[in-house]
Amino acid sequence: MAANPDEELYQALIRDHFRRPRNRGSLDPPATSGHAHNPFCGDTVRIWIRVEEGRVADATFDGRGCAISQAAASMLTALVKGRDVDAVHGLRRALTEGLAPDGPPLPKELGDLRAMAGVRRFPSRIRCAVLPFDALEEALEGRG
């Protein structure tokens, strides 16, 4: 039986972000960074952001781990550039709710992160998709 065409497209998008990550590398000060680590699988992500006038002016990441965590970090850094800091917090909620077993479809505002929709079938992998948000929130709080 052939897979759902949307699912195939999403899998290809995840592979593409994993193999050719966007925004990989660090940012020089006055950027802040946040770090997140999943001790169960070893994935790690650090995100650097530069905020100017209440907006994320730039965002980059580095890390290592599975295709899901690293692709999600690539997708997230591309998504938040230019966004109002207050709006960024709602993105995590939209992703988390959409990855719940009976959650709503992932909204268009998540951009490429909608490719993570298939992760809901694998509850242990949801943490991988959300991990970059932990690093981003730490960077936004200036704790990194």
Side-chain angles (χ1 to χ4, degrees), residues 73-85:
S74 174
M75 293 170 180
L76 180 60
T77 56
L79 180 66
V80 299
K81 284 184 183 183
R83 290 201 185 236
D84 183 86
V85 170

Side-chain angles (χ1 to χ4, degrees), residues 59-128:
T60 63
F61 84 100
D62 200 5
R64 66 179 193 286
C66 70
I68 293 170
S69 70
Q70 300 307 294
S74 174
M75 293 170 180
L76 180 60
T77 56
L79 180 66
V80 299
K81 284 184 183 183
R83 290 201 185 236
D84 183 86
V85 170
D86 293 332
V88 170
H89 296 292
L91 296 174
R92 181 193 183 117
R93 185 174 49 257
L95 180 65
T96 303
E97 290 173 1
L99 293 181
D102 295 324
L106 294 173
K108 291 183 183 190
E109 69 180 325
L110 287 174
D112 284 356
L113 277 170
R114 291 182 303 153
M116 297 295 162
V119 173
R120 76 169 44 120
R121 292 190 328 259
F122 308 98
S124 65
R125 303 306 299 271
I126 291 172
R127 180 77 184 111
C128 301

Side-chain angles (χ1 to χ4, degrees), residues 2-114:
N4 176 335
D6 286 340
E7 189 173 310
E8 288 178 9
L9 175 65
Y10 288 159
Q11 289 175 0
L13 189 57
I14 290 169
R15 280 191 306 273
D16 183 54
H17 272 273
F18 178 67
R19 292 179 182 150
R20 296 183 318 117
R22 284 58 156 183
N23 309 307
R24 186 176 284 274
S26 62
L27 289 174
D28 293 328
T32 61
S33 71
H35 177 262
H37 176 72
N38 184 346
F40 296 109
C41 66
D43 290 0
T44 184
V45 174
R46 178 168 295 279
I47 290 186
W48 289 266
I49 59 166
R50 183 172 297 117
V51 176
E52 296 172 359
E53 298 179 13
R55 293 194 171 280
V56 178
D58 204 358
T60 63
F61 84 100
D62 200 5
R64 66 179 193 286
C66 70
I68 293 170
S69 70
Q70 300 307 294
S74 174
M75 293 170 180
L76 180 60
T77 56
L79 180 66
V80 299
K81 284 184 183 183
R83 290 201 185 236
D84 183 86
V85 170
D86 293 332
V88 170
H89 296 292
L91 296 174
R92 181 193 183 117
R93 185 174 49 257
L95 180 65
T96 303
E97 290 173 1
L99 293 181
D102 295 324
L106 294 173
K108 291 183 183 190
E109 69 180 325
L110 287 174
D112 284 356
L113 277 170
R114 291 182 303 153

